[in-house]
Amino acid sequence: MANKVMFTETVLRDGQQSQIATRMPIEDMLPILETMDQAGFRALEMWGGATFDSCLRFLNEDPWERLRTIRSHIKNTKLQMLLRGQNLLGYRNYADDVVRAVVRKSIENGIDVVRVFDALNDVRNLKTSIEACKEAGGECQCAISYTTSPVHTVPYFVKLAKQMADFGADSICIKDMAGNLTPSDASDLVSGIKAEVTVPLEVHTHATAGIAEMTYLKSVEAGADIIDTCISSFSAGTSQPATESMHIALTGLGVETGLDLDKLSEIAEHFNGVRDKFRKSGVLNPKVKDTSPKALVYQVPGGMLSNLLSQLTEQGNADKYEEVLAEVPRVRADMGYPPLVTPLSQMVGTQALMNVISGERYKMIPKEIKDYVRGQYGAAPVAISDEIREKVIGDEQPITCRPADLIEPQLPKLCEEIADYARSEEDVLSYALFPQQARDFLGRREDPFYDVPEQTVKVSVL
């Protein structure tokens, strides 16, 4: 058992993203930020993921201003963001110049730790993000997209962790987005990585399947340096285990956490009120607090289970739910066992649904699946068979290079397109990431009743 473990608190990002679809506005965070800064966390995960899109699309907030505001209140604790490698905060590959600019500006505006991952664990898709983070003076944490399959073994992940460290990772994270990491596998995996890699190791899981606390215990026993938890108000179910509970349990076992329980209680009391507000409005669906052991049976994220059921119900095909679930692992095998994380989880789930509904496998094929088989998302963990490739893209030959090598620089054109609305370089990057949402937001900002401080930054090619 390690004698010390640090905590990353997720309520400002993944906790609320997992339970209320990232609808928490900055005003619900402000009153408690100083207390969070004094609680003893290693980091606060508070940006990236879906927060950027949600700020623009639903909350009428400038995501960059949110970052700067939180930074102004947090003086002692690291601020952390989640970045999807070459996909940044969106769902497609961006040119290297956009990736470098987003990473640099994130760090300039207050981010300390950039957790970067690739849905396929293709390290080529991490290269530019890692380099940009290091150049800007940030801490780059490379995340392994954890999954299970015949090829995703402990040696596979240990080799991947070593590659990430060789690429310049300052720390490694085992990112178990589906909550499928079992206690025994966690013990083996953490031990295996710690034996080969010297940088700190963090473990991130979800409580979806009901085993997360045991997974964290075995991870700490095996030498994990950091674990991700969420304050009790937004914990459990599709979120992370409760921060206070893990602190009390580990402290009782002689593990030093560095956390202040009185401060944690204050934080929980504040977010209990926030939670109750979202519960009353209906945004917080009680089902997100449920335990879903089927996530272990089918090896798919809990959110994917609920999304598939919702789609089928809307189509009047709820009776085909089990059939679609059984098709998911078959499609995943056909696709070379990609980890079921955004955007691959949505793609595989949609293809499985189409296979069942149409009555013929691969009779209907989404564009995203065709692009994936073409190699435009990166290399599949296992080569896709000629039979499946021909079904999906015919005689086309997949690309073998890093996908972003085929993308020309994008910033000059983006600056030109949004010149009438952009007041800062950050505005240009918002437009690069989410063109329609950013244009709408920046257009609303021109309204004289929308109070926003004037920016003096000259907009140019970043």
Side-chain angles (χ1 to χ4, degrees):
M1 174 81 76
N3 57 16
K4 182 178 181 180
V5 67
M6 294 176 283
F7 281 56
T8 293
E9 172 59 49
T10 69
V11 70
L12 302 181
R13 207 287 297 176
D14 200 23
Q16 59 122 347
Q17 179 173 319
S18 297
Q19 296 202 340
I20 56 171
T22 334
R23 297 298 198 275
M24 189 185 294
I26 186 69
E27 54 261 32
D28 284 344
M29 305 173 186
L30 288 176
I32 201 64
L33 290 178
E34 279 85 359
T35 304
M36 297 182 78
D37 194 26
Q38 299 163 9
F41 297 116
R42 189 258 185 181
L44 299 176
E45 194 207 30
M46 43 63 66
W47 214 57
T51 60
F52 206 99
D53 184 17
S54 185
C55 280
L56 294 172
R57 189 190 303 261
F58 302 111
L59 302 176
N60 202 34
E61 283 186 38
D62 183 338
W64 299 97
E65 185 61 30
R66 170 181 287 202
L67 170 55
R68 290 189 290 267
T69 299
I70 293 177
R71 177 78 282 173
S72 71
H73 290 270
I74 302 295
K75 307 296 185 183
N76 308 302
T77 310
K78 293 179 180 180
L79 296 184
Q80 182 171 307
M81 73 175 293
L82 181 68
L83 196 76
R84 302 184 185 111
Q86 208 72 28
N87 294 167
L88 293 174
L89 304 174
Y91 308 99
R92 60 181 176 84
N93 283 326
Y94 294 86
D96 285 339
D97 62 339
V98 177
V99 173
R100 291 183 183 279
V102 168
V103 173
R104 176 167 56 84
K105 279 295 175 183
S106 298
I107 293 170
E108 285 181 9
N109 280 273
I111 288 295
D112 298 294
V113 183
V114 180
R115 175 181 289 174
V116 57
F117 76 97
D118 178 67
L120 292 171
N121 290 316
D122 187 338
V123 293
R124 299 175 303 169
N125 290 335
L126 305 179
K127 182 175 181 291
T128 302
S129 298
I130 296 171
E131 291 174 352
C133 184
K134 305 284 278 188
E135 289 167 4
E139 177 183 328
C140 185
Q141 181 179 88
C142 288
I144 293 168
S145 295
Y146 177 79
T147 188
T148 57
S149 82
V151 297
H152 290 97
T153 61
V154 169
Y156 170 94
F157 287 124
V158 171
K159 180 181 178 181
L160 181 60
K162 291 171 68 175
Q163 284 181 302
M164 290 174 167
D166 290 342
F167 265 52
D170 296 300
S171 58
I172 303 291
C173 175
I174 300 169
K175 178 178 168 60
D176 174 29
M177 55 280 173
N180 288 336
L181 180 61
T182 63
S184 60
D185 287 347
S187 181
D188 292 343
L189 184 51
V190 171
S191 298
I193 293 175
K194 291 294 290 184
E196 299 289 339
V197 177
T198 58
V199 298
L201 178 63
E202 188 156 355
V203 181
H204 170 98
T205 191
H206 289 252
T208 314
I211 60 172
E213 290 85 356
M214 290 186 287
T215 294
Y216 275 158
L217 175 59
K218 298 305 288 186
S219 296
V220 173
E221 286 180 349
D225 301 286
I226 315 160
I227 57 174
D228 288 7
T229 60
C230 185
I231 206 72
S232 56
S233 318
F234 285 91
S235 70
T238 52
S239 181
Q240 282 76 49
T243 303
E244 310 97 298
S245 304
M246 289 303 305
H247 159 72
I248 293 168
L250 290 172
T251 300
L253 291 170
V255 180
E256 180 185 340
T257 70
L259 295 178
D260 183 327
L261 185 57
D262 289 336
K263 298 294 183 187
L264 296 183
S265 298
E266 287 183 46
I267 296 166
E269 184 176 353
H270 169 80
F271 282 111
N272 283 344
V274 176
R275 176 202 60 205
D276 292 345
K277 179 184 72 173
F278 282 102
R279 181 180 286 160
K280 185 176 181 180
S281 70
V283 174
L284 178 60
N285 187 325
K287 287 185 178 296
V288 301
K289 295 286 191 179
D290 289 351
T291 300
S292 304
K294 282 185 179 179
L296 293 171
V297 176
Y298 292 107
Q299 299 292 301
V300 298
M304 185 176 171
L305 291 170
S306 58
N307 286 339
L308 284 174
L309 180 57
S310 176
Q311 289 181 56
L312 287 165
T313 301
E314 288 175 5
Q315 298 170 8
N317 289 308
D319 59 315
K320 298 188 184 298
Y321 180 56
E322 293 291 335
E323 192 177 349
V324 172
L325 287 184
E327 177 67 3
V328 167
R330 290 194 285 266
V331 171
R332 183 172 175 243
D334 290 342
M335 295 296 120
Y337 295 104
L340 293 178
V341 64
T342 301
L344 273 304
S345 54
Q346 293 90 331
M347 291 158 56
V348 169
T350 299
Q351 185 64 68
L353 186 149
M354 287 182 172
N355 286 356
V356 170
I357 298 302
S358 69
E360 181 182 337
R361 302 189 80 230
Y362 301 105
K363 179 180 181 180
M364 301 165 59
I365 303 171
K367 176 184 181 296
E368 291 79 9
I369 288 288
K370 292 181 179 180
D371 288 344
Y372 168 74
V373 174
R374 290 184 182 110
Q376 292 176 2
Y377 286 86
V382 176
I384 297 170
S385 70
D386 290 342
E387 178 188 359
I388 294 297
R389 177 179 56 78
E390 289 172 6
K391 277 186 177 181
V392 176
I393 60 172
D395 295 331
E396 284 187 61
Q397 288 301 309
I399 64 171
T400 57
C401 64
R402 184 182 73 113
D405 288 341
L406 303 176
I407 305 175
E408 295 292 329
Q410 296 170 324
L411 280 175
K413 183 180 180 184
L414 292 165
C415 286
E416 183 179 334
E417 289 175 352
I418 200 64
D420 290 343
Y421 292 98
R423 300 178 185 175
S424 67
E425 294 176 346
E426 286 84 353
D427 287 349
V428 176
L429 295 176
S430 294
Y431 175 71
L433 292 165
F434 298 100
Q436 185 60 55
Q437 290 76 28
R439 186 183 289 276
D440 290 347
F441 172 80
L442 297 174
R444 290 194 301 273
R445 192 178 64 182
E446 298 303 310
D447 189 306
F449 295 103
Y450 184 88
D451 184 23
V452 64
E454 287 290 335
Q455 299 286 341
T456 57
V457 179
K458 177 177 171 56
V459 178
S460 60
V461 176
L462 300 162

